[in-house]
């Protein structure tokens, strides 16, 4: 399955990029993230608990940040495994300054699932993926706004 989207962030491009890569922010914004631990440069191990429809379960995951082009681009590779099945996903994030205090974020992703999760059907999985990604960016926007107001 694949998808894409965009949103405007209320911060300059450098600040938006910095916050997008902050492990504390990522942990708060990733749906169901129970733990996010740096294991080497730009590579994390995560424990996720997702409870949406038939996708319910716990996943042990690896999240790796690749192809960094500060402050405009990076790729995120996610591999997860749990009782509901497996997931492998790649997301691309591109940031473009709109003004000194706003940034356009474009994202695209591709994901493959296996195991019990795959039996749910691509239509439902596409909806779940979209929900998880939209939730991440909604939380990110709120977190960025909170950080900018306290600065």
């Amino acid at each position: 399955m694949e998808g894409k989207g965009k949103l405007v962030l209320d911060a300059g491009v450098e600040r938006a990029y910095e916050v997008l890569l902050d492990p504390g922010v990522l942990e708060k914004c990733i749906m169901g993230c129970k733990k996010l631990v740096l294991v080497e440069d730009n590579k994390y191990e995560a424990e996720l608990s997702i409870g949406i429809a038939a996708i319910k379960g716990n996943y042990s995951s690896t999240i790796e940040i690749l192809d960094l082009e500060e402050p405009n681009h990076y790729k995120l590779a996610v591999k997860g495994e749990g009782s509901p099945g497996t997931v492998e996903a790649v997301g691309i994030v591109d940031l473009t300054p709109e003004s000194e205090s706003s940034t356009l974020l474009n994202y695209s992703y591709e994901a493959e699932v296996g195991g019990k999760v795959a039996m749910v059907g691509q239509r439902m999985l596409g909806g779940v993926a979209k929900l998880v990604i939209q939730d991440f960016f909604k939380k990110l926007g709120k977190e960025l706004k909170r950080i900018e107001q306290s600065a």
Side-chain angles (χ1 to χ4, degrees):
M1 82 194 93
E2 54 189 60
K4 61 183 177 178
K6 62 183 174 180
L7 71 148
V8 175
L9 299 173
D10 294 326
V13 70
E14 281 91 9
R15 184 67 164 158
Y17 189 83
E18 176 186 313
V19 170
L20 270 165
L21 296 177
D22 181 315
V25 172
L26 290 174
E27 188 171 12
K28 288 179 185 177
C29 295
I30 297 170
M31 183 183 283
C33 187
K34 301 296 179 199
K35 182 172 92 172
L36 185 70
V37 178
L38 183 68
V39 291
E40 55 187 74
D41 280 351
N42 298 318
K43 188 172 185 176
Y44 300 88
E45 286 184 358
E47 288 181 19
L48 309 175
S49 179
I50 305 289
I52 302 169
I55 315 299
K56 293 178 182 171
N58 296 315
Y59 295 84
S60 294
S61 305
T62 302
I63 301 170
E64 194 166 6
I65 301 167
L66 307 163
D67 301 342
L68 290 138
E69 295 173 22
E70 190 174 336
N72 301 103
H73 171 88
Y74 68 89
K75 181 169 33 173
L76 199 62
V78 178
K79 292 182 182 181
E81 192 174 308
S83 58
T86 61
V87 63
E88 284 193 39
V90 174
I92 302 214
V93 174
D94 288 300
L95 300 171
T96 307
E98 285 212 320
S99 71
E100 253 184 57
S101 61
S102 69
T103 300
L104 176 64
L105 182 149
N106 282 290
Y107 64 87
S108 61
Y109 62 89
E110 291 182 20
E112 286 186 33
V113 295
K116 290 185 239 175
V117 173
M119 290 186 262
V120 171
Q122 292 301 314
R123 181 178 246 168
M124 184 175 183
L125 286 174
V128 170
K130 188 174 182 178
L131 175 72
V132 169
I133 289 166
Q134 287 175 342
D135 181 73
F136 172 81
F137 286 117
K138 181 179 176 183
K139 288 177 182 173
L140 175 74
K142 286 181 180 177
E143 191 65 18
L144 184 57
K145 189 176 235 177
R146 184 191 65 75
I147 289 168
E148 286 297 288
Q149 288 174 345
S150 65

